[in-house]
């Protein structure tokens, strides 16, 4: 019998120079999401709503949404094993001077893909989000 690959989890913290409201809308609104990624986004922003972003490379379902505070979702990338679902939780914490601490926890990630996904969050989300926010100011 073939043994299932090991899964792991990781956490990242990133500070943004904007409010939790702006960050939440950036992640949850398909027009804003497409604007900062440069890729199509289909997002149904409600509990059990589905999403497909990055040209369907990432798909999933929202498990819990606390407007302007947190997002919990089932998350699947096209290069994960078929049927594998990881869990993503994003928490937005307001800081002084209109800043926000974004905390990402990504669980049930295939261990052999964890390093690529850790880098991917920085390269395909945090950096472009910061650049997009800067272009708006």
């Amino acid at each position: 019998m073939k043994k299932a690959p090991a899964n792991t989890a990781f956490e990242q913290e990133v500070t943004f120079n904007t409010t939790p409201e702006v960050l939440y809308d950036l992640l949850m609104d398909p027009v804003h999401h497409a604007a900062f990624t440069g890729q199509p986004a289909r997002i149904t922003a409600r509990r059990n709503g589905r999403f497909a972003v990055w040209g369907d490379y990432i798909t999933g379902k929202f498990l819990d949404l606390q407007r302007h505070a947190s997002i919990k979702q089932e998350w699947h990338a096209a290069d994960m094993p078929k049927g594998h679902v990881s869990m993503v939780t994003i928490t937005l914490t307001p800081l002084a001077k209109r800043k926000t601490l974004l905390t990402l926890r990504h669980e049930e990630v295939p261990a052999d893909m964890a390093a690529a996904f850790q880098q991917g969050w920085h390269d395909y989300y945090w950096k472009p989000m910061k650049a997009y926010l800067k272009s708006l100011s």
Side-chain angles (χ1 to χ4, degrees):
M1 180 194 254
K2 188 175 179 182
K3 185 178 178 184
N7 292 325
T8 190
F10 60 87
E11 192 167 292
Q12 297 179 350
E13 291 186 338
V14 185
T15 300
F16 287 88
N17 294 320
T18 193
T19 64
E21 292 81 5
V22 169
L23 273 187
Y24 185 91
D25 292 344
L26 197 59
L27 291 165
M28 297 301 295
D29 179 278
V31 173
H32 290 303
H33 195 286
F36 82 79
T37 64
Q39 296 291 322
R42 293 188 318 276
I43 299 170
T44 303
R46 67 173 185 261
R47 189 163 191 249
N48 294 318
R50 299 214 165 258
F51 63 90
V53 297
W54 285 98
D56 291 351
Y57 172 72
I58 300 168
T59 58
K61 177 173 77 170
F62 296 109
L63 301 177
D64 188 49
L65 298 173
Q66 300 298 317
R67 190 161 175 75
H68 304 147
S70 67
I71 301 164
K72 184 171 184 173
Q73 55 192 203
E74 291 181 346
W75 193 96
H76 176 81
D79 50 357
M80 284 179 159
K82 185 176 177 150
H84 185 92
V85 176
S86 63
M87 304 298 285
V88 168
T89 303
I90 294 173
T91 305
L92 306 173
T93 305
L95 303 173
K97 299 183 181 178
R98 294 181 48 86
K99 294 183 185 231
T100 301
L101 176 65
L102 181 151
T103 304
L104 166 91
R105 178 136 180 94
H106 197 159
E107 301 174 271
E108 297 300 318
V109 177
D112 61 346
M113 303 178 91
F117 287 142
Q118 286 178 5
Q119 190 61 48
W121 282 105
H122 284 283
D123 294 345
Y124 301 111
Y125 275 85
W126 317 146
K127 288 178 186 176
M129 285 168 68
K130 286 184 175 194
Y132 179 73
L133 290 166
K134 190 173 184 178
S135 76
L136 298 177
S137 57

